Amino acid sequence: MLPVRPLPAYLVQRYHGWKATTFAENRAWYKRLAEEGQRPRAMVITCCDSRVHATSIFGADQGEFFIHRNIANLVPPYAPDGDHHGTSAAVEYAVTALKVAHVIVMGHSRCGGVQGCHDMCSGNAPELEKATSFVGRWMDILRPGYERVAGREGVEDALTELEHEAVRVSLENLMSFPFVAQAVEAGDLTLHGAWHEIGSGELHVLDAETGCFVPV
Amino acid sequence: MLPVRPLPAYLVQRYHGWKATTFAENRAWYKRLAEEGQRPRAMVITCCDSRVHATSIFGADQGEFFIHRNIANLVPPYAPDGDHHGTSAAVEYAVTALKVAHVIVMGHSRCGGVQGCHDMCSGNAPELEKATSFVGRWMDILRPGYERVAGREGVEDALTELEHEAVRVSLENLMSFPFVAQAVEAGDLTLHGAWHEIGSGELHVLDAETGCFVPV
Amino acid sequence: MLPVRPLPAYLVQRYHGWKATTFAENRAWYKRLAEEGQRPRAMVITCCDSRVHATSIFGADQGEFFIHRNIANLVPPYAPDGDHHGTSAAVEYAVTALKVAHVIVMGHSRCGGVQGCHDMCSGNAPELEKATSFVGRWMDILRPGYERVAGREGVEDALTELEHEAVRVSLENLMSFPFVAQAVEAGDLTLHGAWHEIGSGELHVLDAETGCFVPV
Amino acid sequence: MLPVRPLPAYLVQRYHGWKATTFAENRAWYKRLAEEGQRPRAMVITCCDSRVHATSIFGADQGEFFIHRNIANLVPPYAPDGDHHGTSAAVEYAVTALKVAHVIVMGHSRCGGVQGCHDMCSGNAPELEKATSFVGRWMDILRPGYERVAGREGVEDALTELEHEAVRVSLENLMSFPFVAQAVEAGDLTLHGAWHEIGSGELHVLDAETGCFVPV
């Protein structure tokens, strides 16, 4: 027997509120979405962090974004080795089955995963270096980004730079997936990098020319 | 040089709208969230599907839910093998670092991933059986659920049953993580299973006594 | 010996029901709230009136709102004279210790305190004018609001206008507290005015541009 | 012009949910409550603390409880000196105008106000001793309770004892109001003391015989 509990009452109450308002006002659309399937325009890859709501920031409603959220919005390199790869599966499904037109990787400030990566790579978090640390092994994906920041001169804010690298590394890894590269080359898909500052509400986007993040 | 493009203009426009309204009304809270860090009450594991917005359904705002989204809201079994495990990393971070009080696994109707799993397991999707299929290998997690549904008599709607199994399998796998089992036993964490029907807007929750999903 | 009595049985029974359901589903969260302390996002100042439940109206659960309730949701002017000031203490604690992001003053229709103020100021309630009347002396805080309504032309519903003034006067008085004004100016706090109509369930909010209450 | 902002969007959304469900299901009752006025059975005096919801714990709905909430659920001594006394006004209104049948004073564990009082009285919080500290001057009400705890032998948990004293002092002060004492003597009013432990969910009530708090 699974040790599950009923849903907390406050969530049940809020759900009923949603059902009676948002759902009721949009039931025809939700019915179509159910019957005809989703047709999202974009995939968004963003962090699990509770402070980051891509749908709120982009005013998106049901049906618009196919959203994958993981720690530090990372995409691992292409590795078709037969293992479970949740992020790669999400990318494959979005690009080959749903044929989304955009993939947006959005990082954010004060990212706990990026902080952990920084601590680990700089030798200050031995517990994350253990083989059994899921967070540590996941953040290994960002090690190439850490090396780049470490080798850069005049870095003022290493954590922000590393958050930016998390977006760049993910975009580079995305391009290592043959079906992504092909779709980009065929003009069927565009990639976008963004970074959100939680406290100030600012949104910065990755500029292809300069390779830098600039405010929109 | 990364082949990135500027953010689509309609998203930039919506972002500016968010900044001038929602952000402006809540800037003090977002500033505190940035400075003091997040303290989410619950982790929600749900599907990437664009039709499923847990935050909308539960009226949750920035800071309330730590959200992991992957294909078919699956949690793989505990496997500390040193590989990249995005879902396991998210669970580890939520339970051990953030110490969330609830983990809610929420499945949904018309799930493309579950449909794929059903096709694959019933021999109708050979392309998903390839070692190189990320979606196929990810949906392998649900094979035990498929076997249970296949062995059950009088199944009227095999896909819905399999969507329910996706929640049960994930909850079972969650309990295979030592830190999850310990937190549950210590009364520091409660687990919850839910399933959302997109077209009708209904929400069903997993009942511990009967093992069935019942409308709230 | 204090002349106390056991709690009425119907309340004991309801409490046991709460313990077995709502508490059981949320024990991990309540335990964390106990151990780590509260971190409410907002302070709500509302009336003691039994018909006004801010937590119900706003779907808020334990931990979300720091709530002060007094007669007619009034905030007195800043007066650091060494006397007991319960409302000022609550505001001071919320803003300086808890650092809430919002203070919401919510008035309501058919407010007995506001009615008493109107009767008193218009000479129809001599008993409230006595120095020994706690309600009368408390409602003195709203006298400037009464004067404004009395001096206005074309007032159709003086009581509703005075209920609105109770919110405005409280917000004005809030701004007379140096720590409130500083937090507002620093962007660490936003103030909000609202008025709830009990019978129709409507919610009106104070608009900064026009100074009027408008339905949400 | 008041520096007010629109209500945060998530609260507006939750409000609409409440309106469409809880309100819609009870509109006839709320209409009667609006037209005929409130007739609450009890007054509850409890803390502003966001973790204490008397209505949730006691399953109370609109119209049942007249609720005053201040820091540390304190009632000051009777002092008809013509100043603003918010708590005394609430008590006066409840007992003489609404004629409630019960006044319940409910304290709670981990009370920040009580902690502050303890720090102040033991010489560890000089900032609370300033004349300009509203929290300090408000917590002066509890000084007699601190003295009693300090003079008691074998005190294991001074803070919990002081939280209990906050209830006892308030009940004693309540009896100093002539209209309260008269109503109690006439059998028109009963007083009750309670203390709620946030983490364990326990509820203790003050026993008249022993003067101790015992679990219900």
Side-chain angles (χ1 to χ4, degrees):
Chain A
M1 203 168 72
L2 281 165
V4 290
R5 296 282 318 168
L7 215 54
Y10 81 106
L11 293 180
V12 172
Q13 203 164 348
R14 289 188 191 169
Y15 156 72
H16 285 306
W18 170 85
K19 182 98 188 305
T21 54
T22 302
F23 177 78
E25 291 148 19
N26 296 285
R27 65 183 313 140
W29 176 240
Y30 293 170
K31 194 178 167 195
R32 275 194 61 194
L33 280 177
E35 288 169 2
E36 300 176 7
Q38 61 176 327
R39 201 172 73 162
R41 176 165 171 177
M43 176 185 196
V44 178
I45 299 174
T46 184
C47 189
C48 301
D49 193 299
S50 65
R51 300 167 295 181
V52 180
H53 281 192
T55 51
S56 174
I57 291 170
F58 291 124
D61 202 42
Q62 260 86 338
E64 291 197 63
F65 291 164
F66 184 80
I67 300 178
H68 175 60
R69 295 178 70 169
N70 64 35
I71 301 264
N73 37 270
L74 292 175
V75 177
Y78 179 68
D81 55 15
D83 285 344
H84 305 318
H85 289 288
T87 299
S88 304
V91 171
E92 182 184 89
Y93 192 78
V95 174
T96 66
L98 297 175
K99 299 187 194 303
V100 295
H102 317 281
V103 175
I104 300 166
V105 179
M106 184 168 86
H108 68 99
S109 66
R110 314 270 175 152
C111 181
V114 168
Q115 170 83 59
C117 179
H118 190 271
D119 293 349
M120 175 176 71
C121 295
S122 57
N124 295 310
E127 72 284 4
L128 289 176
E129 297 189 51
K130 291 182 189 162
T132 53
S133 167
F134 291 114
V135 171
R137 301 296 61 70
W138 179 249
M139 294 311 303
D140 281 344
I141 298 170
L142 185 51
R143 279 185 187 270
Y146 177 81
E147 297 306 329
R148 288 201 292 242
V149 174
R152 209 170 282 160
E153 284 185 15
V155 168
E156 287 186 9
D157 182 347
L159 286 177
T160 300
E161 296 258 340
L162 195 49
E163 286 158 5
H164 290 173
E165 285 298 334
V167 177
R168 289 192 195 96
V169 165
S170 291
L171 288 162
E172 287 161 7
N173 287 344
L174 271 174
M175 286 299 286
S176 72
F177 287 72
F179 48 82
V180 171
Q182 284 160 21
V184 169
E185 276 151 36
D188 292 336
L189 175 68
T190 55
L191 303 184
H192 310 265
W195 174 84
H196 177 57
E197 186 158 60
I198 290 167
S200 70
E202 282 193 16
L203 184 70
H204 295 209
V205 293
L206 182 55
D207 179 65
E209 295 293 317
T210 62
C212 295
F213 282 80
V214 291
V216 298
Chain B
M1 201 169 75
L2 281 165
V4 290
R5 301 280 315 159
L7 216 53
Y10 81 107
L11 293 181
V12 173
Q13 201 164 352
R14 289 187 190 169
Y15 158 72
H16 285 305
W18 171 84
K19 185 96 189 306
T21 54
T22 301
F23 178 77
E25 290 146 22
N26 296 285
R27 65 181 311 139
W29 177 241
Y30 295 168
K31 192 178 168 192
R32 277 194 63 194
L33 281 177
E35 288 169 3
E36 300 177 7
Q38 59 177 328
R39 194 171 81 163
R41 175 166 174 175
M43 176 186 198
V44 178
I45 299 173
T46 184
C47 188
C48 300
D49 193 301
S50 64
R51 300 166 294 181
V52 180
H53 281 192
T55 51
S56 174
I57 292 171
F58 291 124
D61 202 46
Q62 260 85 336
E64 291 197 62
F65 291 163
F66 184 80
I67 301 180
H68 175 59
R69 295 179 69 170
N70 64 35
I71 301 265
N73 36 270
L74 292 176
V75 177
Y78 178 67
D81 54 16
D83 285 344
H84 304 319
H85 290 288
T87 298
S88 303
V91 171
E92 183 184 87
Y93 192 77
V95 174
T96 67
L98 297 174
K99 299 187 193 304
V100 295
H102 315 281
V103 175
I104 300 167
V105 179
M106 185 167 85
H108 69 97
S109 67
R110 314 272 176 151
C111 180
V114 168
Q115 170 83 59
C117 179
H118 191 270
D119 293 349
M120 174 176 73
C121 294
S122 57
N124 294 311
E127 73 283 6
L128 289 176
E129 297 190 51
K130 290 181 189 163
T132 54
S133 167
F134 291 115
V135 171
R137 301 297 60 70
W138 179 249
M139 294 311 302
D140 281 344
I141 297 169
L142 186 51
R143 280 186 186 270
Y146 177 82
E147 297 306 327
R148 287 201 293 242
V149 174
R152 211 170 281 160
E153 285 185 16
V155 169
E156 288 185 9
D157 181 345
L159 286 178
T160 300
E161 296 257 341
L162 195 50
E163 286 158 5
H164 289 174
E165 285 297 333
V167 177
R168 288 192 196 96
V169 165
S170 292
L171 288 163
E172 287 161 6
N173 287 345
L174 270 175
M175 286 299 286
S176 72
F177 287 72
F179 48 82
V180 171
Q182 283 160 20
V184 168
E185 275 152 37
D188 291 335
L189 176 68
T190 54
L191 304 183
H192 310 264
W195 175 84
H196 176 57
E197 186 158 60
I198 291 167
S200 69
E202 283 194 15
L203 184 70
H204 295 208
V205 293
L206 182 55
D207 179 65
E209 296 292 317
T210 62
C212 295
F213 281 80
V214 291
V216 299
Chain C
M1 202 168 73
L2 281 164
V4 291
R5 300 282 312 161
L7 217 52
Y10 82 106
L11 293 180
V12 173
Q13 199 164 353
R14 289 187 191 169
Y15 158 71
H16 285 305
W18 171 83
K19 185 97 188 304
T21 55
T22 301
F23 178 77
E25 291 145 23
N26 297 285
R27 64 180 311 138
W29 178 241
Y30 295 168
K31 193 179 167 190
R32 277 194 64 195
L33 280 176
E35 287 169 4
E36 299 176 8
Q38 60 177 329
R39 195 171 80 163
R41 176 167 174 174
M43 177 186 196
V44 178
I45 299 173
T46 184
C47 188
C48 300
D49 193 300
S50 64
R51 299 167 295 180
V52 180
H53 282 192
T55 52
S56 174
I57 291 171
F58 290 125
D61 202 48
Q62 260 85 338
E64 291 196 63
F65 292 163
F66 185 80
I67 301 178
H68 175 59
R69 295 179 69 170
N70 64 35
I71 300 267
N73 37 270
L74 291 175
V75 176
Y78 179 67
D81 53 15
D83 284 345
H84 305 318
H85 290 287
T87 297
S88 303
V91 170
E92 182 183 89
Y93 192 77
V95 174
T96 67
L98 298 174
K99 298 185 192 307
V100 296
H102 316 280
V103 175
I104 301 166
V105 178
M106 185 169 85
H108 68 98
S109 66
R110 314 271 177 151
C111 181
V114 168
Q115 170 83 58
C117 179
H118 191 270
D119 293 349
M120 175 177 73
C121 295
S122 57
N124 295 310
E127 73 283 6
L128 290 175
E129 296 189 51
K130 291 180 190 163
T132 54
S133 166
F134 291 113
V135 171
R137 300 298 59 71
W138 179 248
M139 295 310 304
D140 280 344
I141 298 170
L142 185 51
R143 280 186 186 269
Y146 177 82
E147 297 306 328
R148 288 201 293 242
V149 174
R152 211 170 280 160
E153 285 186 15
V155 168
E156 287 187 8
D157 181 347
L159 286 177
T160 299
E161 296 257 340
L162 195 50
E163 286 158 5
H164 289 175
E165 284 299 333
V167 177
R168 288 192 195 95
V169 165
S170 291
L171 288 162
E172 288 161 6
N173 287 344
L174 271 174
M175 286 298 287
S176 72
F177 288 73
F179 47 83
V180 170
Q182 284 161 21
V184 168
E185 274 152 39
D188 292 334
L189 176 67
T190 53
L191 304 183
H192 310 264
W195 175 84
H196 177 56
E197 185 158 61
I198 289 167
S200 69
E202 282 193 15
L203 184 70
H204 294 209
V205 293
L206 181 55
D207 179 64
E209 295 293 317
T210 62
C212 294
F213 282 80
V214 291
V216 297
Chain D
M1 203 169 74
L2 280 165
V4 291
R5 296 283 317 166
L7 214 54
Y10 81 105
L11 293 181
V12 172
Q13 203 164 348
R14 290 187 190 169
Y15 157 71
H16 284 305
W18 171 83
K19 182 99 187 305
T21 54
T22 302
F23 177 77
E25 291 149 19
N26 297 285
R27 65 182 315 140
W29 176 240
Y30 293 170
K31 194 177 167 196
R32 276 194 61 194
L33 281 177
E35 288 169 1
E36 300 176 8
Q38 60 177 327
R39 198 172 74 164
R41 175 165 171 177
M43 176 185 198
V44 178
I45 298 173
T46 183
C47 189
C48 300
D49 193 300
S50 64
R51 300 168 295 181
V52 180
H53 280 192
T55 52
S56 175
I57 291 171
F58 290 125
D61 203 42
Q62 260 85 338
E64 292 196 61
F65 291 163
F66 184 80
I67 301 179
H68 175 59
R69 294 179 70 170
N70 64 35
I71 301 264
N73 37 270
L74 292 175
V75 177
Y78 179 67
D81 53 15
D83 285 344
H84 305 318
H85 290 287
T87 298
S88 304
V91 170
E92 181 183 89
Y93 192 78
V95 174
T96 66
L98 298 174
K99 299 186 194 305
V100 295
H102 316 282
V103 174
I104 301 167
V105 178
M106 185 168 85
H108 68 98
S109 66
R110 314 269 175 153
C111 181
V114 168
Q115 169 84 59
C117 179
H118 190 271
D119 292 348
M120 174 176 73
C121 294
S122 57
N124 294 310
E127 74 281 5
L128 290 175
E129 297 189 50
K130 290 181 189 163
T132 54
S133 167
F134 290 115
V135 171
R137 300 298 59 70
W138 179 249
M139 294 311 303
D140 281 344
I141 298 170
L142 185 51
R143 280 184 186 270
Y146 177 82
E147 297 306 328
R148 287 201 293 241
V149 174
R152 209 170 282 160
E153 284 185 17
V155 168
E156 287 186 9
D157 181 346
L159 286 177
T160 300
E161 296 259 340
L162 195 49
E163 286 158 5
H164 290 175
E165 285 298 333
V167 177
R168 288 192 195 96
V169 165
S170 292
L171 289 162
E172 288 161 7
N173 287 344
L174 270 174
M175 287 299 287
S176 72
F177 287 73
F179 47 82
V180 171
Q182 283 158 23
V184 169
E185 275 152 35
D188 292 335
L189 175 68
T190 55
L191 304 183
H192 311 264
W195 175 84
H196 176 55
E197 185 158 60
I198 290 167
S200 70
E202 282 194 16
L203 184 70
H204 295 208
V205 293
L206 182 54
D207 180 65
E209 295 293 317
T210 63
C212 295
F213 281 80
V214 290
V216 298

